[in-house]
């Protein structure tokens, strides 16, 4: 069975679905396909200091264009001290708070996530939270990986959505064990936005490290933009970073995750 037909079959078996839409390519593609396939599907987007404003704007724009029934809710993880402590399994508490809120919207229906097969190869505590709350992952059930999701996005005519780079939540930039604070996430978002807008950085992460920041850039951008001069310009542009140690280095996927830090037990 072709993957798109398999996905259609999976969705057809979901009772009163509610799609959790983060603003990335996976969830936006799932929401668009579900809307066109089933019609009248409900979508929910959660906002918090960890969600980039650009992601929320993207969700609202696509919802308006396609006529989704969209609910925007508070994610709620910033009221959870276990999440704020930023342990190895921080994502478990993020998703637990999210799915508890979506259950209130769902009225007993099925919450759907945009996880795909590639996500199964990483450490994903959020998948454990999903299992605890009966969340289904249609792309995984249909045997679709990230490449297949992007191909579906192109087939749906989603344009730039199909090419969106991976962009985990802003809390993923904070080194494991350092506390999560709204102020640090706001700085991360401003710095990354500044690097993209003012310096044309295509791949950029602003990592929060003990005592300072580490700016990670793709190889091409790192060679073009440079290191010391960039750190000095960043301090001038963002007073909150003026007294910080700032390093510039090559991009390393998931480098803020430190696996030997403590796990908070559910």
């Amino acid at each position: 069975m072709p993957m798109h037909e398999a996905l259609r079959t999976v969705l057809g078996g979901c009772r009163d679905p509610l799609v959790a839409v983060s603003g990335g390519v996976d969830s936006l593609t799932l929401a668009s396909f579900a809307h066109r396939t089933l019609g009248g599907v409900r979508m929910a987007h959660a906002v918090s200091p960890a969600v980039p404003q650009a992601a929320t704007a993207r969700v609202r724009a696509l919802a308006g264009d396609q006529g989704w029934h969209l609910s925007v809710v508070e994610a709620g993880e910033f009221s959870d001290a276990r999440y704020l402590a930023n342990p190895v399994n921080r994502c478990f508490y993020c998703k637990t708070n999210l799915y508890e809120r979506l259950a209130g919207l769902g009225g007993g229906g099925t919450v759907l996530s945009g996880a795909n097969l590639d996500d199964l190869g990483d450490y994903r505590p959020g998948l454990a939270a999903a299992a605890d709350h009966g969340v289904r992952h249609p792309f995984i059930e249909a045997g679709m990986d990230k490449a297949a999701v992007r191909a579906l996005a192109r087939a749906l005519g989603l344009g730039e959505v199909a090419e969106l780079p991976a962009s985990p939540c802003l809390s993923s930039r904070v080194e494991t064990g350092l506390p999560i604070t709204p102020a640090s996430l706001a700085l991360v978002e401003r710095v990354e936005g500044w690097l993209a807008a003012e310096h044309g950085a295509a791949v950029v992460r602003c990592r929060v490290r003990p005592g300072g920041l580490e700016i990670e850039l793709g190889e091409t951008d790192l060679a073009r933009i440079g290191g010391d001069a960039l750190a000095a310009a960043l301090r001038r542009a963002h007073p909150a970073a003026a007294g910080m140690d700032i390093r510039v280095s090559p991009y390393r996927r998931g480098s803020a995750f430190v696996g030997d830090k403590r796990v908070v037990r559910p």
Side-chain angles (χ1 to χ4, degrees):
M1 180 185 297
M3 285 184 181
H4 297 178
E5 288 305 312
L7 181 60
R8 192 185 309 272
T9 299
V10 170
L11 291 174
C14 296
R15 181 174 60 85
D16 192 16
L18 173 69
V19 182
V21 190
S22 67
V25 58
D26 299 316
S27 63
L28 290 172
T29 301
L30 178 62
S32 297
F33 187 83
H35 177 73
R36 299 185 194 187
T37 300
L38 303 178
V41 177
R42 293 170 303 141
M43 318 298 179
H45 174 67
V47 295
S48 88
V51 178
Q53 294 179 26
T56 298
R58 197 179 300 126
V59 171
R60 289 187 182 277
L62 200 57
D65 289 344
Q66 297 192 8
W68 295 350
H69 177 71
L70 175 69
S71 298
V72 177
V73 300
E74 291 289 334
E77 77 273 32
F78 276 72
S79 63
D80 189 335
R82 299 166 300 179
Y83 170 86
L84 296 176
N86 195 19
V88 167
N89 58 337
R90 179 196 70 241
C91 293
F92 177 85
Y93 299 106
C94 173
K95 295 300 186 183
T96 293
N97 281 279
L98 171 64
Y99 294 139
E100 286 176 354
R101 278 156 176 75
L102 295 189
L105 294 177
T110 307
V111 176
L112 308 182
S113 94
N116 65 71
L117 284 178
D118 290 346
D119 295 321
L120 300 180
D122 291 331
Y123 174 58
R124 298 271 180 168
L127 292 177
D132 288 348
H133 291 81
V135 175
R136 292 181 63 174
H137 314 290
F139 289 142
I140 292 176
E141 294 182 39
M144 297 176 64
D145 60 11
K146 191 77 165 190
V149 172
R150 291 192 186 279
L152 176 57
R154 296 183 191 106
L156 293 172
L158 296 184
E160 64 181 15
V161 167
E163 313 307 327
L164 284 173
S167 183
C169 80
L170 295 172
S171 292
S172 69
R173 275 66 152 176
V174 183
E175 185 174 306
T176 305
L178 297 180
I180 302 294
T181 68
S184 64
L185 300 191
L187 178 60
V188 165
E189 185 169 21
R190 289 196 301 272
V191 169
E192 290 188 357
W194 174 76
L195 285 164
E198 298 297 323
H199 294 273
V203 177
V204 57
R205 294 289 187 273
C206 175
R207 310 289 192 191
V208 178
R209 304 290 190 188
L213 303 175
E214 181 174 10
I215 307 302
E216 296 181 357
L217 299 171
E219 290 184 8
T220 300
D221 287 330
L222 184 60
R224 175 176 60 84
I225 299 172
D228 292 341
L230 177 61
L234 192 158
R235 290 189 182 94
R236 290 193 298 272
H238 299 278
M244 293 183 175
D245 176 47
I246 299 175
R247 293 174 288 160
V248 182
S249 61
Y251 168 68
R252 295 169 292 149
R253 181 174 176 267
S255 71
F257 178 79
V258 181
D260 62 354
K261 296 294 178 74
R262 65 189 179 92
V263 174
V264 173
R265 301 296 176 186

